[in-house]
Amino acid sequence: MVATPALMANAIRFLAADAVEAANSGHPGMPMGMADVATVLFTRHIKLDPARPDWPDRDRFVLSAGHGSMLQYAVQHLLGYADMTLDQIRNFRQLGAITAGHPEYGHAEGIETTTGPLGQGIATAVGLALGERMMNARFGDDLVGHFTYVIAGDGCLMEGISHEAIDLAGHLKLGRLIVLWDDNSISIDGATDLSTSTDQRTRFAAAGWDVIEVDGHDQDAVDAALESARAALDKPTLVACKTVIGKGAPTKSGTAKVHGSPLGAEELAGARKALGWSWGPFEIPEEALKAWRGAGERSRAEREAWEKRLAASPKKAGFEAAVSGALPADFGAKLGAYKALLLEEKPKVATRKASEMALTAINAATPLTIGGSADLTGSNLTLTKGMGEVKPGDYAGRYVYYGVREHGMAAAMNGLALHGGFIPYGGTFLVFAGYMAGAMRLSALMGLRVIYVLTHDSIGLGEDGPTHQPVETLATLRALPNMLVFRPADAVETAEAWEIALAQKNRPSVLALSRQNLPLLRDGADENLTARGGYVLREAEGGARDVTLIATGSEVEIALAGAAKLEAEGIRAAVVSMPSQELFAEQDEAWQAKVLGSAPRVAVEAAVEFGWSRFTQDSRNFVGMKGFGASAPAGALYKHFGIDADHVAARAKEAVARRARA
């Protein structure tokens, strides 16, 4: 018996509904509504091989409506992904299972990205699609030619990041990006007309997309729409699939009741009857499973032919090196020579300028880096000579002008990193990290090598005022698990921070960089001391320490001046530069004890105190900000807020006196 398309779609519907029912938790509505669309996509169009889920030229699939994760898990089980067993489906949303409530990158094969917050998936997919075009420009059609498919819901398109994403994709003419919109007009609160009247088709068309409308339950119509979309390579395509959420549920379909709750035993039994599904929970008819497994093998010959082309290609070594993500063997030596030059020339420059200088050496030493900025190239200093611009229809360059789209930039960089072949970095002001926090969090959650170049890092940016002075942002970013935050004090520390960030294959990095010029403080660079997180820059003279001053970035210079004042008064002060709290916390206890010492400790940073007490052991031992900044030249602001050598010395004496009284 041959499986009908309807039977194959129902296999998705009931695996999803049964898993949600067993978990007593989840979202059955979207998988049941989009089952026909998914069946067409995965059995007739998408190019993948479950036996080689990491095949570099596979098509990418992104479930932007990640709450409907059981659709993806059901499809992957049916296609024959080895890790997506029926036991994993039965244990949906349970501790230890790979079938999490939302698709999680790295948990299961075939999951290209984590899509938790709505809108992140479609925005990340723009980076995946851009990565495909950029790799194609480097290695040609023989090695790179795949599509990126997205299933997005009404909620994804309401999120503001979706506008940034579709605008950028349309502008860049990413014709191999195809979004399948689950147009069911339902959100959690009810019908979408409670909160939106946007004509999404017109919005996408205005952004430079092709738009196709289709009945999402007519599989032949969906097939024809995908054929048309795949042929329209000059523009990305939106396929608006009109669907019924929870299709088949006798009383709940088409309503918000089926969005995020189990159907219930009675409703689920009614759905089985309505759709003619006579099999029990987690049972798949043999003919349906056979047809699905055949679909899973559909692209195997194409994958094997691709592997032969790769083996015969003169670009094989370069392609494999790019996909591996490994830095060139001589990269360390070239960066070492650059650091030696810094020690010789002793430049007094802003660390944003020091970053540009380091990038000049880095971008010449490796082709992996892909730069960009959210309309602040001249301020972030992220563009170096010879990179070339990524343009609509011309993807050979290495620099992306993201426009005023911080959130979209961060998500696209995630996509570039996930695609493989690149190390993306992108710039904006540190204060705007709040605008891209959702995507930055996913960088950390997925463990991606994405580098955020965040300049104008304190009140030191001056006249732009408190709206642009990120007094709280460092603490926010330091609280994010698996994110390295660097605030370098001079050009050497900046180069060292770049060296470390580029070496991180499983976590992103932030470089918080100054606008104001800073002197070179280091007198050696044989060891990358920034890799230690914190180190003694200046030891106390003439005996044991009376106090330890800890500072970051532009305030290290102030701490040194404060230490000199203390020494003049007979108080022995050591100065610790701590460019990365995260890396310092990873050092062994002996190193931490050696650096911090046993004397009272005072921290100095032009930001709020939050988080520093774990090092100072007393929140009073801090020189920094207590509130928002003000608009004035940087020097006036530092004096006004008491972040200067005099206040450092005074606070240190108070700490020493308290210790003496204790």
Side-chain angles (χ1 to χ4, degrees):
M1 186 180 232
V2 178
T4 65
L7 186 71
M8 295 176 73
N10 284 337
I12 297 175
R13 288 189 174 96
F14 287 101
L15 274 179
D18 288 339
V20 172
E21 197 70 22
N24 195 30
S25 172
H27 300 75
M30 192 281 273
M32 296 177 76
M34 285 294 281
D36 293 300
V37 173
T39 298
V40 174
L41 174 62
F42 282 94
T43 64
R44 306 186 202 179
H45 292 278
I46 204 165
K47 179 178 70 173
L48 50 78
D49 185 355
R52 274 291 309 277
D54 60 346
W55 171 25
D57 201 37
R58 68 193 180 278
D59 289 342
R60 270 56 167 185
F61 171 69
V62 175
L63 187 67
S64 189
H67 54 275
S69 57
M70 263 314 306
L71 180 140
Q72 183 160 9
Y73 303 148
V75 165
Q76 288 176 200
H77 171 71
L78 293 166
L79 288 172
Y81 281 82
D83 63 338
M84 194 57 68
T85 64
L86 207 54
D87 279 344
Q88 293 290 350
I89 301 290
R90 288 191 183 100
N91 284 288
F92 176 55
R93 288 184 164 228
Q94 304 308 301
L95 185 64
I98 63 175
T99 44
H102 291 74
E104 298 285 354
Y105 173 73
H107 287 211
E109 296 171 348
I111 295 176
E112 302 288 358
T113 182
T114 294
T115 54
L118 293 177
Q120 288 293 331
I122 188 173
T124 303
V126 172
L128 287 166
L130 178 58
E132 186 275 339
R133 286 292 81 195
M134 293 176 70
M135 285 288 279
N136 174 271
R138 295 184 179 196
F139 299 105
D141 293 339
D142 278 353
L143 298 183
V144 185
H146 51 268
F147 286 83
T148 300
Y149 296 98
V150 181
I151 287 181
D154 293 301
C156 295
L157 303 192
M158 286 191 222
E159 288 284 0
I161 192 175
S162 75
H163 182 77
E164 298 182 27
I166 69 170
D167 190 8
L168 182 60
H171 169 73
L172 291 175
K173 299 186 183 301
L174 299 178
R176 289 176 174 264
L177 174 62
I178 299 172
V179 173
L180 298 154
W181 171 29
D182 180 17
D183 179 16
N184 62 35
S185 301
I186 294 293
S187 63
I188 292 175
D189 282 347
T192 54
D193 63 12
L194 288 170
S195 55
T196 182
S197 300
T198 298
D199 183 340
Q200 296 290 357
R201 297 158 187 80
T202 301
R203 180 167 78 113
F204 274 79
W209 289 56
D210 276 334
V211 177
I212 303 171
E213 297 186 58
V214 69
D215 178 350
H217 301 301
D218 182 338
Q219 292 198 24
D220 289 337
V222 173
D223 183 37
L226 282 169
E227 287 286 357
S228 178
R230 287 164 55 86
L233 295 180
D234 60 332
K235 293 181 179 181
T237 300
L238 173 73
V239 181
C241 304
K242 195 62 186 174
T243 61
V244 176
I245 190 171
K247 180 176 170 59
T251 69
K252 296 181 178 180
S253 65
T255 74
K257 293 179 181 179
V258 78
H259 170 85
S261 301
L263 295 180
E266 185 177 344
E267 187 78 3
L268 185 50
R272 279 182 155 81
K273 182 177 180 181
L275 295 174
W277 188 261
S278 57
W279 294 271
F282 304 107
E283 291 181 7
I284 305 297
E286 183 179 347
E287 61 269 30
L289 187 58
K290 182 178 179 181
W292 270 106
R293 294 291 161 86
E297 297 176 356
R298 186 173 52 84
S299 299
R300 182 166 299 173
E302 191 170 356
R303 187 259 298 170
E304 291 171 346
W306 179 89
E307 289 174 341
K308 290 179 181 177
R309 291 198 303 275
L310 176 64
S313 174
K315 297 181 178 180
K316 178 177 184 291
F319 181 86
E320 291 181 336
V323 170
S324 77
L327 294 166
D330 62 351
F331 180 81
K334 288 182 176 179
L335 205 57
Y338 165 70
K339 288 189 288 184
L341 186 64
L342 290 177
L343 292 171
E344 180 182 330
E345 296 182 347
K346 301 189 183 315
K348 181 176 182 178
V349 294
T351 51
R352 63 169 175 160
K353 179 64 177 178
S355 172
E356 179 190 42
M357 293 159 58
L359 279 171
T360 300
I362 289 163
N363 290 335
T366 175
L368 292 176
T369 47
I370 301 297
S373 172
D375 199 50
L376 287 168
T377 296
S379 292
N380 303 145
L381 305 181
T382 39
L383 176 64
T384 62
K385 185 177 180 180
M387 293 188 77
E389 175 189 350
V390 175
K391 303 176 182 178
D394 179 0
Y395 310 100
R398 294 173 59 188
Y399 195 82
V400 183
Y401 288 97
Y402 288 103
V404 189
R405 304 185 185 100
E406 295 90 354
H407 201 179
M409 175 181 72
M413 288 197 297
N414 285 344
L416 284 168
L418 288 161
H419 182 275
F422 307 108
I423 304 173
Y425 70 85
T428 186
F429 290 170
L430 178 60
V431 75
F432 299 147
Y435 271 13
M436 54 186 180
M440 294 182 78
R441 185 174 186 273
L442 291 188
S443 300
L445 182 61
M446 289 188 277
L448 303 180
R449 182 167 45 173
V450 174
I451 301 171
Y452 296 94
V453 183
L454 305 184
T455 68
H456 297 61
D457 68 345
S458 70
I459 61 170
L461 70 88
E463 292 86 345
D464 276 345
T467 62
H468 282 53
Q469 293 166 6
V471 296
E472 81 293 350
T473 312
L474 287 168
T476 301
L477 294 174
R478 287 167 178 158
L480 191 58
N482 203 42
M483 176 72 80
L484 286 183
V485 180
F486 296 95
R487 190 163 184 253
D490 66 2
V492 170
E493 282 193 359
T494 304
E496 290 179 336
W498 267 110
E499 186 175 23
I500 298 161
L502 290 165
Q504 303 300 309
K505 286 208 169 184
N506 297 301
R507 56 182 168 181
S509 299
V510 165
L511 275 71
L513 304 171
S514 75
R515 182 190 183 196
Q516 67 270 43
N517 291 340
L518 303 176
L520 195 78
L521 303 176
R522 286 275 291 279
D523 57 9
D526 292 338
E527 179 187 355
N528 187 325
L529 290 173
T530 299
R532 294 283 203 164
Y535 61 94
V536 178
L537 179 64
R538 177 195 185 279
E539 189 53 271
E541 297 179 3
R545 301 179 195 175
D546 295 315
V547 67
T548 298
L549 307 178
I550 312 168
T552 75
S554 46
E555 287 72 70
V556 175
E557 180 185 13
I558 293 172
L560 286 167
K565 284 183 174 291
L566 291 167
E567 293 283 0
E569 297 182 40
I571 300 172
R572 295 183 293 272
V575 176
V576 169
S577 179
M578 191 175 286
S580 174
Q581 291 187 0
E582 298 78 29
L583 288 177
F584 185 72
E586 292 175 7
Q587 304 305 305
D588 59 38
E589 290 184 6
W591 179 264
Q592 292 185 29
K594 176 183 175 183
V595 170
L596 295 177
S598 57
R601 306 161 192 164
V602 173
V604 190
E605 188 171 66
V608 296
E609 188 273 341
F610 193 88
W612 275 108
S613 295
R614 61 175 170 159
F615 301 114
T616 65
Q617 301 176 330
D618 188 332
S619 62
R620 294 171 294 180
N621 292 356
F622 180 73
V623 176
M625 298 296 292
K626 294 183 173 63
F628 294 110
S631 178
L637 290 173
Y638 273 86
K639 183 175 182 180
H640 174 74
F641 289 108
I643 306 174
D644 55 25
D646 289 337
H647 282 85
V648 169
R651 193 60 47 86
K653 287 188 282 188
E654 290 171 7
V656 171
R658 276 196 298 271
R659 174 69 64 86
R661 292 194 298 268

